[in-house]
Amino acid sequence: MSPELIAIVSVGVALAGIILTGQRAIRAEQAVQRQEIAALREDFATLRERMAHLEGLLEGLREAITRERAA
């Protein structure tokens, strides 16, 4: 093999190694982000339930004070 061909092949192998390492790191970051998004969705669901509970309490308080049902 000529020295030029060896250089070309070695550069190709080095670039492939860099690309694969970068892709592995990106996949790991994406997995962490997916877990964080799932946790945020659970937090939002909890907040939604708590808000609905508070709205119900306020509705009952409004009815107790005004003795009328809200529309």
Side-chain angles (χ1 to χ4, degrees):
M1 277 201 210
S2 69
E4 293 87 11
L5 182 61
I6 293 172
I8 291 171
V9 171
S10 62
V11 168
V13 170
L15 286 175
I18 291 170
I19 290 170
L20 291 175
T21 303
Q23 287 179 344
R24 187 177 302 126
I26 289 172
R27 285 189 189 124
E29 288 177 14
Q30 286 177 341
V32 170
Q33 288 176 348
R34 284 188 190 112
Q35 291 173 348
E36 290 174 353
I37 289 171
L40 283 173
R41 285 182 177 156
E42 290 176 14
D43 290 345
F44 277 123
T46 302
L47 286 173
R48 206 175 307 128
E49 290 173 10
R50 292 174 67 187
M51 289 270 304
H53 179 72
L54 288 174
E55 287 174 352
L57 290 175
L58 288 174
E59 179 93 14
L61 181 61
R62 182 183 305 124
E63 288 176 11
I65 292 173
T66 61
R67 300 195 193 279
E68 293 179 8
R69 293 203 71 170

